[in-house]
Amino acid sequence: MYEPLTEQKAVALAIRLGLFQEDALLSCQEIGDGNLNLVFRIVNERTNDSIIIKQALPYAKVVGESWPLTLKRATIESQALRTFASYVPQYVPKVYYSDETLAITVMEDLSHLQIARRGLIEGKTFPHLSQHIGEFIAKTAFYTSDFGMNQQQKKKLAQQFTNPELCKITEDLVFTDPFFDHDTNSFETELRADVEQLWQDDELKREAAKLKRLFLTKADVLLHGDLHTGSIFASDDDTKVIDPEFAFYGPIGFDLGQFFANLLLNALSRHESEREPLFTHIEKTWDVFVRTFTTCWQESNEPYARVSFVLDDIMNDALVEAIGFAGCEVIRRTIGLAHVADLDELPLERRLEAKRHALRLGRELIVQREHVPIHAIKRLVQQTVHVNS
């Protein structure tokens, strides 16, 4: 039967699974700081070998037991990590064991790396981050698409990753609630006038509705589903993508858009003179994605893969989607339920300035998404600094 683990029970589980030597001296610490899970780090003090045991909670910690959540997401996560590992093993943690009943995944400990969001807040650049994430998204997208695998196999895989409960969270918190006066929204009182202006913007809401419909209906590729900088461990040399419990089949531009948005939010938290590394990461991620996807494309057995401009159309659609989805993510991380430390840790006046800028930028990314080439994002950020402020 399911029951939440304690540190003592996590150690007992590790021993029962034989994950350490018999003479191991084990210590355990609960290190989770997310909203949905318990995370235990177990270390053999004799050898420094370590593992992570992650367990899904049946509710969202940010709200409490009044917001129940499916435990199936733990199975989704372990299956997604294993699927991604078959294409890009260098970019995901190893999975050692999973248990659907207990909703646990036992995996490689990545404590030698740093969560990318925290590192970026501290001013680190992670020079290979965009190269690695571009490759990760391109390969996982291509090899789980109708061009990279047998279409019937893809349909079966899509069934395996049906994830209605967590998709509903995204549908509400990313695509709906921030654009209306909803009780899940959370923002500073000083932003009330800016937020009400957004809620009254029918052009913006019309375009956000189109993006929500894409999210609901377009099943291109297996997505991570929540690819922000808090779901990435990194160092100067390595990158590991974690927490794919939101994985599902969706539009090819979604993971790109989530990643772009969180880089932009970090850029907005910085002084203008310190933003260039973030713009470089965005442009390089896209360039690597296109180049890698194009290389994989040569392996396709789909007859239409040999037709001129089919790949160009797919890449063009992916970019338009990514820009629009990035705009939704920027807005929801500014005034929705779940914020980002990049902005929230700023002193009040700087925070308010950055968040007003984020709302303007998010709007333009959504409304102008068909007219924003990747190299124009930097210019759009500059253009929206003081508009209507």
Side-chain angles (χ1 to χ4, degrees):
M1 292 179 60
Y2 175 87
E3 61 175 351
L5 292 176
T6 62
E7 292 180 355
Q8 293 76 17
K9 290 178 180 178
V11 169
L13 176 63
I15 293 172
R16 189 171 78 245
L17 294 175
L19 296 173
F20 293 94
Q21 298 173 348
E22 289 186 7
D23 65 344
L25 178 62
L26 300 183
S27 65
C28 179
Q29 183 180 8
E30 207 280 300
I31 60 173
D33 61 356
N35 292 322
L36 309 179
N37 308 287
L38 297 171
V39 182
F40 301 91
R41 181 172 186 254
I42 302 178
V43 180
N44 181 353
E45 299 292 347
R46 301 188 196 279
T47 64
N48 260 352
D49 294 336
S50 57
I51 61 169
I52 294 293
I53 297 180
K54 180 176 179 181
Q55 182 180 42
L57 287 169
Y59 56 87
K61 284 200 293 186
V62 70
V63 176
E65 295 186 24
S66 63
W67 187 351
L69 290 172
T70 175
L71 294 174
K72 184 189 174 185
R73 68 186 193 275
T75 301
I76 292 278
E77 176 174 9
S78 62
Q79 290 174 339
L81 287 173
R82 288 183 168 115
T83 302
F84 295 153
S86 63
Y87 308 121
V88 283
Q90 69 274 34
Y91 298 138
V92 291
K94 297 182 182 70
V95 174
Y96 302 129
Y97 175 83
S98 60
D99 186 305
E100 186 168 358
T101 301
L102 290 175
I104 64 169
T105 303
V106 183
M107 68 187 83
E108 177 185 4
D109 181 17
L110 302 176
S111 299
H112 62 289
L113 305 176
Q114 183 179 25
I115 290 292
R117 184 183 308 284
R118 179 51 53 188
L120 292 171
I121 290 172
E122 294 173 359
K124 296 178 182 175
T125 58
F126 299 125
H128 297 293
L129 179 65
S130 43
Q131 175 74 35
H132 294 168
I133 295 300
E135 289 180 4
F136 170 84
I137 298 176
K139 289 185 177 180
T140 56
F142 175 79
Y143 288 114
T144 62
S145 75
D146 287 310
F147 290 92
M149 67 188 309
N150 175 277
Q151 286 89 347
Q152 301 309 307
Q153 292 176 329
K154 180 213 165 183
K155 288 179 174 62
K156 291 179 181 178
L157 192 63
Q159 287 180 328
Q160 180 180 329
F161 285 99
T162 299
N163 199 356
E165 290 87 359
L166 269 69
C167 283
K168 174 65 172 165
I169 292 174
T170 306
E171 292 157 20
D172 291 344
L173 298 188
V174 177
F175 292 107
T176 306
D177 296 355
F179 299 93
F180 297 87
D181 187 359
H182 197 279
D183 59 10
T184 61
N185 293 326
S186 174
F187 51 87
E188 292 81 356
T189 303
E190 294 89 341
L191 294 179
R192 168 63 62 172
D194 305 89
V195 175
E196 288 183 347
Q197 182 178 354
L198 181 146
W199 289 339
Q200 295 163 9
D201 190 334
D202 283 346
E203 180 185 13
L204 171 63
K205 290 162 85 168
R206 178 186 182 187
E207 298 306 315
K210 293 178 183 177
L211 289 163
K212 179 179 179 178
R213 186 166 181 268
L214 275 179
F215 181 85
L216 289 169
T217 62
K218 194 175 184 188
D220 287 335
V221 301
L222 179 62
L223 295 167
H224 177 283
D226 195 28
L227 191 57
H228 53 78
T229 50
S231 293
I232 300 169
F233 271 104
S235 69
D236 285 349
D237 301 310
D238 296 325
T239 305
K240 300 282 188 180
V241 174
I242 62 169
D243 293 350
E245 57 196 351
F246 282 76
F248 77 109
Y249 259 82
I252 191 171
F254 185 73
D255 280 352
L256 285 163
Q258 294 262 298
F259 184 59
F260 291 169
N262 282 268
L263 293 176
L264 286 169
L265 289 165
N266 183 263
L268 295 183
S269 75
R270 301 184 178 198
H271 294 291
E272 291 186 42
S273 61
E274 300 171 339
R275 292 174 177 172
E276 194 61 37
L278 285 309
F279 299 135
T280 299
H281 271 319
I282 291 171
E283 294 180 18
K284 186 173 181 181
T285 300
W286 173 252
D287 290 343
V288 171
F289 169 80
V290 172
R291 189 167 62 250
T292 305
F293 198 97
T294 300
T295 299
C296 294
W297 187 261
Q298 307 311 312
E299 303 175 27
S300 179
N301 292 320
E302 164 58 46
Y304 280 104
R306 304 292 168 260
V307 176
S308 298
F309 302 112
V310 170
L311 176 60
D312 292 341
D313 289 343
I314 292 172
M315 293 296 95
N316 289 338
D317 288 348
L319 181 58
V320 171
E321 291 171 6
I323 299 298
F325 290 139
C328 293
E329 174 75 354
V330 165
I331 288 174
R332 80 96 167 195
R333 291 292 192 177
T334 304
I335 62 172
L337 178 65
H339 293 186
V340 292
D342 312 58
L343 299 186
D344 276 5
E345 291 182 359
L346 294 173
L348 179 61
E349 289 306 314
R350 280 188 58 201
R351 186 194 328 150
L352 294 173
E353 179 183 5
K355 289 191 173 186
R356 290 188 175 105
H357 191 179
L359 293 178
R360 295 190 294 268
L361 175 62
R363 181 197 188 278
E364 296 309 307
L365 289 169
I366 292 170
V367 172
Q368 298 187 37
R369 64 187 182 280
E370 295 184 3
H371 311 290
V372 182
I374 195 70
H375 61 268
I377 291 179
K378 175 181 176 180
R379 184 170 66 248
L380 192 62
V381 171
Q382 295 167 338
Q383 289 173 347
T384 52
V385 172
H386 299 301
V387 176
N388 296 330
S389 62

